[in-house]
PDB file of all heavy atoms in Angstrom:
ATOM      1  N   CYS K1358      -6.273 -13.975   0.504  1.00  0.00           N
ATOM      2  CA  CYS K1358      -6.949 -13.589  -0.737  1.00  0.00           C
ATOM      3  C   CYS K1358      -6.974 -14.790  -1.681  1.00  0.00           C
ATOM      4  O   CYS K1358      -5.931 -15.357  -1.998  1.00  0.00           O
ATOM      5  CB  CYS K1358      -6.218 -12.405  -1.379  1.00  0.00           C
ATOM      6  SG  CYS K1358      -7.105 -11.699  -2.782  1.00  0.00           S
ATOM      7  N   ARG K1359      -8.162 -15.151  -2.090  1.00  0.00           N
ATOM      8  CA  ARG K1359      -8.339 -16.260  -3.026  1.00  0.00           C
ATOM      9  C   ARG K1359      -8.495 -15.715  -4.439  1.00  0.00           C
ATOM     10  O   ARG K1359      -8.830 -14.547  -4.625  1.00  0.00           O
ATOM     11  CB  ARG K1359      -9.592 -17.062  -2.658  1.00  0.00           C
ATOM     12  CG  ARG K1359      -9.629 -17.580  -1.257  1.00  0.00           C
ATOM     13  CD  ARG K1359     -11.006 -18.176  -0.896  1.00  0.00           C
ATOM     14  NE  ARG K1359     -12.158 -17.474  -1.460  1.00  0.00           N
ATOM     15  CZ  ARG K1359     -12.768 -16.425  -0.904  1.00  0.00           C
ATOM     16  NH1 ARG K1359     -12.324 -15.929   0.227  1.00  0.00           N
ATOM     17  NH2 ARG K1359     -13.811 -15.869  -1.474  1.00  0.00           N
ATOM     18  N   ILE K1360      -8.292 -16.568  -5.407  1.00  0.00           N
ATOM     19  CA  ILE K1360      -8.402 -16.148  -6.803  1.00  0.00           C
ATOM     20  C   ILE K1360      -9.825 -15.688  -7.143  1.00  0.00           C
ATOM     21  O   ILE K1360     -10.016 -14.887  -8.050  1.00  0.00           O
ATOM     22  CB  ILE K1360      -7.913 -17.254  -7.759  1.00  0.00           C
ATOM     23  CG1 ILE K1360      -7.601 -16.663  -9.114  1.00  0.00           C
ATOM     24  CG2 ILE K1360      -8.898 -18.397  -7.833  1.00  0.00           C
ATOM     25  CD1 ILE K1360      -6.660 -17.475  -9.953  1.00  0.00           C
ATOM     26  N   ASP K1361     -10.821 -16.160  -6.379  1.00  0.00           N
ATOM     27  CA  ASP K1361     -12.209 -15.764  -6.629  1.00  0.00           C
ATOM     28  C   ASP K1361     -12.681 -14.661  -5.675  1.00  0.00           C
ATOM     29  O   ASP K1361     -13.862 -14.343  -5.612  1.00  0.00           O
ATOM     30  CB  ASP K1361     -13.139 -16.978  -6.544  1.00  0.00           C
ATOM     31  CG  ASP K1361     -13.155 -17.630  -5.166  1.00  0.00           C
ATOM     32  OD1 ASP K1361     -12.230 -17.385  -4.368  1.00  0.00           O
ATOM     33  OD2 ASP K1361     -14.101 -18.406  -4.897  1.00  0.00           O
ATOM     34  N   ALA K1362     -11.741 -14.056  -4.946  1.00  0.00           N
ATOM     35  CA  ALA K1362     -12.097 -12.975  -4.026  1.00  0.00           C
ATOM     36  C   ALA K1362     -12.613 -11.775  -4.814  1.00  0.00           C
ATOM     37  O   ALA K1362     -12.144 -11.505  -5.928  1.00  0.00           O
ATOM     38  CB  ALA K1362     -10.883 -12.573  -3.193  1.00  0.00           C
ATOM     39  N   PRO K1363     -13.566 -11.053  -4.245  1.00  0.00           N
ATOM     40  CA  PRO K1363     -14.098  -9.890  -4.960  1.00  0.00           C
ATOM     41  C   PRO K1363     -13.093  -8.741  -4.989  1.00  0.00           C
ATOM     42  O   PRO K1363     -12.427  -8.459  -3.997  1.00  0.00           O
ATOM     43  CB  PRO K1363     -15.337  -9.503  -4.149  1.00  0.00           C
ATOM     44  CG  PRO K1363     -15.050 -10.018  -2.772  1.00  0.00           C
ATOM     45  CD  PRO K1363     -14.213 -11.262  -2.954  1.00  0.00           C
ATOM     46  N   LYS K1364     -13.015  -8.101  -6.133  1.00  0.00           N
ATOM     47  CA  LYS K1364     -12.198  -6.886  -6.248  1.00  0.00           C
ATOM     48  C   LYS K1364     -12.931  -5.741  -5.556  1.00  0.00           C
ATOM     49  O   LYS K1364     -14.152  -5.748  -5.429  1.00  0.00           O
ATOM     50  CB  LYS K1364     -11.974  -6.525  -7.716  1.00  0.00           C
ATOM     51  CG  LYS K1364     -11.068  -7.475  -8.446  1.00  0.00           C
ATOM     52  CD  LYS K1364     -10.835  -7.007  -9.879  1.00  0.00           C
ATOM     53  CE  LYS K1364      -9.920  -7.982 -10.611  1.00  0.00           C
ATOM     54  NZ  LYS K1364      -9.701  -7.561 -12.005  1.00  0.00           N
ATOM     55  N   ALA K1365     -12.161  -4.758  -5.124  1.00  0.00           N
ATOM     56  CA  ALA K1365     -12.748  -3.553  -4.538  1.00  0.00           C
ATOM     57  C   ALA K1365     -13.626  -2.864  -5.577  1.00  0.00           C
ATOM     58  O   ALA K1365     -13.280  -2.814  -6.765  1.00  0.00           O
ATOM     59  CB  ALA K1365     -11.650  -2.615  -4.063  1.00  0.00           C
ATOM     60  N   SER K1436      -3.449  -6.728  -5.396  1.00  0.00           N
ATOM     61  CA  SER K1436      -3.534  -8.142  -5.048  1.00  0.00           C
ATOM     62  C   SER K1436      -3.286  -8.968  -6.302  1.00  0.00           C
ATOM     63  O   SER K1436      -4.075  -8.921  -7.253  1.00  0.00           O
ATOM     64  CB  SER K1436      -4.900  -8.464  -4.439  1.00  0.00           C
ATOM     65  OG  SER K1436      -5.009  -7.801  -3.190  1.00  0.00           O
ATOM     66  N   HIS K1437      -2.179  -9.672  -6.290  1.00  0.00           N
ATOM     67  CA  HIS K1437      -1.740 -10.418  -7.469  1.00  0.00           C
ATOM     68  C   HIS K1437      -2.746 -11.479  -7.902  1.00  0.00           C
ATOM     69  O   HIS K1437      -2.982 -11.656  -9.101  1.00  0.00           O
ATOM     70  CB  HIS K1437      -0.379 -11.072  -7.213  1.00  0.00           C
ATOM     71  CG  HIS K1437       0.699 -10.076  -6.964  1.00  0.00           C
ATOM     72  ND1 HIS K1437       0.911  -9.505  -5.720  1.00  0.00           N
ATOM     73  CD2 HIS K1437       1.623  -9.539  -7.777  1.00  0.00           C
ATOM     74  CE1 HIS K1437       1.922  -8.661  -5.800  1.00  0.00           C
ATOM     75  NE2 HIS K1437       2.379  -8.653  -7.027  1.00  0.00           N
ATOM     76  N   LYS K1438      -3.332 -12.185  -6.943  1.00  0.00           N
ATOM     77  CA  LYS K1438      -4.245 -13.286  -7.277  1.00  0.00           C
ATOM     78  C   LYS K1438      -5.462 -12.824  -8.057  1.00  0.00           C
ATOM     79  O   LYS K1438      -5.974 -13.555  -8.894  1.00  0.00           O
ATOM     80  CB  LYS K1438      -4.685 -14.035  -6.027  1.00  0.00           C
ATOM     81  CG  LYS K1438      -3.613 -14.940  -5.484  1.00  0.00           C
ATOM     82  CD  LYS K1438      -4.141 -15.794  -4.359  1.00  0.00           C
ATOM     83  CE  LYS K1438      -3.024 -16.695  -3.865  1.00  0.00           C
ATOM     84  NZ  LYS K1438      -3.455 -17.505  -2.738  1.00  0.00           N
ATOM     85  N   ILE K1439      -5.941 -11.618  -7.761  1.00  0.00           N
ATOM     86  CA  ILE K1439      -7.135 -11.126  -8.455  1.00  0.00           C
ATOM     87  C   ILE K1439      -6.794 -10.044  -9.483  1.00  0.00           C
ATOM     88  O   ILE K1439      -7.687  -9.499 -10.123  1.00  0.00           O
ATOM     89  CB  ILE K1439      -8.210 -10.618  -7.467  1.00  0.00           C
ATOM     90  CG1 ILE K1439      -7.704  -9.433  -6.638  1.00  0.00           C
ATOM     91  CG2 ILE K1439      -8.703 -11.756  -6.580  1.00  0.00           C
ATOM     92  CD1 ILE K1439      -8.770  -8.763  -5.778  1.00  0.00           C
ATOM     93  N   MET K1440      -5.503  -9.738  -9.609  1.00  0.00           N
ATOM     94  CA  MET K1440      -5.041  -8.726 -10.567  1.00  0.00           C
ATOM     95  C   MET K1440      -5.828  -7.420 -10.431  1.00  0.00           C
ATOM     96  O   MET K1440      -6.345  -6.868 -11.395  1.00  0.00           O
ATOM     97  CB  MET K1440      -5.099  -9.254 -12.003  1.00  0.00           C
ATOM     98  CG  MET K1440      -4.152 -10.418 -12.241  1.00  0.00           C
ATOM     99  SD  MET K1440      -2.437 -10.041 -11.830  1.00  0.00           S
ATOM    100  CE  MET K1440      -2.039  -8.832 -13.078  1.00  0.00           C
ATOM    101  N   GLY K1441      -5.908  -6.950  -9.199  1.00  0.00           N
ATOM    102  CA  GLY K1441      -6.619  -5.710  -8.922  1.00  0.00           C
ATOM    103  C   GLY K1441      -6.564  -5.403  -7.441  1.00  0.00           C
ATOM    104  O   GLY K1441      -5.728  -5.931  -6.710  1.00  0.00           O
ATOM    105  N   LEU K1442      -7.458  -4.545  -7.007  1.00  0.00           N
ATOM    106  CA  LEU K1442      -7.470  -4.096  -5.614  1.00  0.00           C
ATOM    107  C   LEU K1442      -8.450  -4.891  -4.769  1.00  0.00           C
ATOM    108  O   LEU K1442      -9.544  -5.244  -5.217  1.00  0.00           O
ATOM    109  CB  LEU K1442      -7.812  -2.609  -5.552  1.00  0.00           C
ATOM    110  CG  LEU K1442      -6.778  -1.694  -6.192  1.00  0.00           C
ATOM    111  CD1 LEU K1442      -7.270  -0.250  -6.202  1.00  0.00           C
ATOM    112  CD2 LEU K1442      -5.434  -1.805  -5.480  1.00  0.00           C
ATOM    113  N   HIS K1443      -8.044  -5.138  -3.545  1.00  0.00           N
ATOM    114  CA  HIS K1443      -8.818  -5.863  -2.547  1.00  0.00           C
ATOM    115  C   HIS K1443      -8.735  -5.047  -1.259  1.00  0.00           C
ATOM    116  O   HIS K1443      -7.842  -4.204  -1.116  1.00  0.00           O
ATOM    117  CB  HIS K1443      -8.187  -7.261  -2.368  1.00  0.00           C
ATOM    118  CG  HIS K1443      -8.926  -8.156  -1.436  1.00  0.00           C
ATOM    119  ND1 HIS K1443      -8.666  -8.188  -0.087  1.00  0.00           N
ATOM    120  CD2 HIS K1443      -9.900  -9.065  -1.656  1.00  0.00           C
ATOM    121  CE1 HIS K1443      -9.453  -9.088   0.485  1.00  0.00           C
ATOM    122  NE2 HIS K1443     -10.210  -9.636  -0.442  1.00  0.00           N
TER     123      HIS K1443
END
Side-chain angles (χ1 to χ4, degrees):
C1358 188
R1359 304 171 323 273
I1360 199 158
D1361 62 342
K1364 290 183 180 179
S1436 293
H1437 297 83
K1438 284 187 179 178
I1439 62 172
M1440 296 304 293
L1442 295 174
H1443 184 271

